[in-house]
Amino acid sequence: MGTVVESANQGAGTLPTNKKVTVIFVLGGPGSGKGTQCTNIVENFGYTHLSAGDLLRAEIKSGSENGTMISNMIKEGKIVPSEVTIKLLQRAIQENGNDKFLIDGFPRNEENRAAFELVTGIEPECVLFFDCPEEEMERRLLGRNQGREDDNIETIRKRFKVYMESSLPVIEYYNSKGKVRKIDAAKHVGEVFEAVKAVFAPADEKVAA
Ligand SMILES: Nc1ncnc2c1ncn2[C@@H]1O[C@H](COP(=O)(O)OP(=O)(O)O)[C@@H](O)[C@H]1O
Ligand SMILES: Nc1ccn([C@@H]2O[C@H](COP(=O)(O)OP(=O)(O)O)[C@@H](O)[C@H]2O)c(=O)n1
Ligand SMILES: [Mg+2]
């Protein structure tokens, strides 16, 4: 299995402004620990973290004309139309000085995936997939305490259904292209990060460590 560093030229894409970037998609069910591990990766490997959910929540707060629509979709656990989310991601990439991005919680369905590829021309370097049993994800979401309107049991069930029906096929698509790095996300945060590090660190560094 190639590491991120070994295959550094495969994941590049060029945005309309000609900015060349490397992108890793960070996927997994709601509550699998995507955001938590992205924070660790940022601290250790110099990536910039872009959470699609965070960008959508910021868009609601900014008083955007799409705010009510986005808010209603999130409360129902539905996936916001790609056009909206991709614009936010593109803007965030272009405004940032970094050229290495973790895109967390996107693409969440086939429409997200195909539209992003078409609009940005970016192919992900690889896909980090946090695999976690539903009952553990449910426990984590109910204990998250971030005041999120979608972290209630009714919406959580809807999000799990959307994940199974719409998001897992995207992971399967990338798996068939050999891009998925599957991580057992049911373990403690530190243990999960050890597995994440193995994806990022080149083989020679692993031997030296
Ligand atoms: N490995 C873990 N074990 C236990 N709790 C975790 C773990 N990873 C994250 N959490 C907690 O679970 C909740 C969901 O994690 P988060 O990173 O927000 O997941 P996601 O972005 O995939 O929804 C948070 O309260 C977080 O602190
Ligand atoms: N690509 C995306 C990502 C999130 N979202 C919406 O934002 C919600 C929260 O996403 P999130 O990534 O912050 O949620 P977690 O998986 O981190 O719990 C999702 O349930 C969707 O309603 C979306 O519509 N499209
Ligand atoms: Mg998250």
Side-chain angles (χ1 to χ4, degrees):
M1 184 165 62
T3 65
V4 170
V5 174
E6 280 164 351
S7 55
N9 291 323
Q10 282 172 25
T14 309
L15 289 164
T17 54
N18 273 342
K19 180 176 176 178
K20 274 194 179 164
V21 295
T22 297
V23 160
I24 294 178
F25 288 147
V26 181
L27 302 178
S32 58
K34 302 181 294 296
T36 303
Q37 295 300 331
C38 281
T39 302
N40 286 336
I41 298 166
V42 165
E43 282 169 11
N44 288 270
F45 298 105
Y47 279 75
T48 293
H49 176 206
L50 299 179
S51 156
D54 286 351
L55 289 169
L56 290 167
R57 285 183 285 274
E59 186 69 0
I60 298 170
K61 276 202 187 145
S62 77
S64 134
E65 58 177 346
N66 283 324
T68 310
M69 179 275 290
I70 298 171
S71 174
N72 288 335
M73 302 286 281
I74 289 180
K75 275 185 219 155
E76 283 301 310
K78 291 183 181 159
I79 297 168
V80 173
S82 301
E83 194 191 312
V84 173
T85 316
I86 289 172
K87 251 186 216 153
L88 297 173
L89 286 169
Q90 260 192 309
R91 197 202 298 160
I93 290 171
Q94 274 159 1
E95 284 174 0
N96 198 289
N98 202 350
D99 61 358
K100 299 195 302 183
F101 295 90
L102 300 168
I103 300 193
D104 157 11
F106 182 99
R108 249 182 164 89
N109 63 9
E110 173 59 22
E111 189 213 1
N112 273 184
R113 186 198 67 71
F116 184 80
E117 208 176 292
L118 193 72
V119 172
T120 68
I122 296 172
E123 266 266 323
E125 175 87 18
C126 69
V127 174
L128 275 186
F129 167 39
F130 290 105
D131 188 29
C132 193
E134 202 168 283
E135 58 172 28
E136 173 63 15
M137 296 196 288
E138 183 180 306
R139 210 173 5 251
R140 291 180 190 176
L141 292 173
L142 291 173
R144 181 150 61 180
N145 273 329
Q146 288 177 355
R148 277 176 51 170
E149 289 196 283
D150 55 348
D151 281 350
N152 60 78
I153 192 62
E154 199 188 330
T155 309
I156 287 169
R157 294 220 166 103
K158 291 180 182 166
R159 289 157 70 196
F160 285 159
K161 192 164 185 285
V162 168
Y163 171 64
M164 298 289 286
E165 289 176 359
S166 304
S167 310
L168 271 182
V170 173
I171 295 165
E172 276 157 20
Y173 168 84
Y174 285 117
N175 197 34
S176 74
K177 299 184 94 185
K179 295 220 165 187
V180 171
R181 308 289 178 265
K182 183 170 159 178
I183 309 279
D184 178 359
K187 297 180 177 167
H188 292 291
V189 174
E191 289 174 274
V192 177
F193 189 52
E194 285 306 310
V196 168
K197 275 198 270 192
V199 174
F200 283 83
D204 51 352
E205 271 182 33
K206 272 187 279 179
V207 173

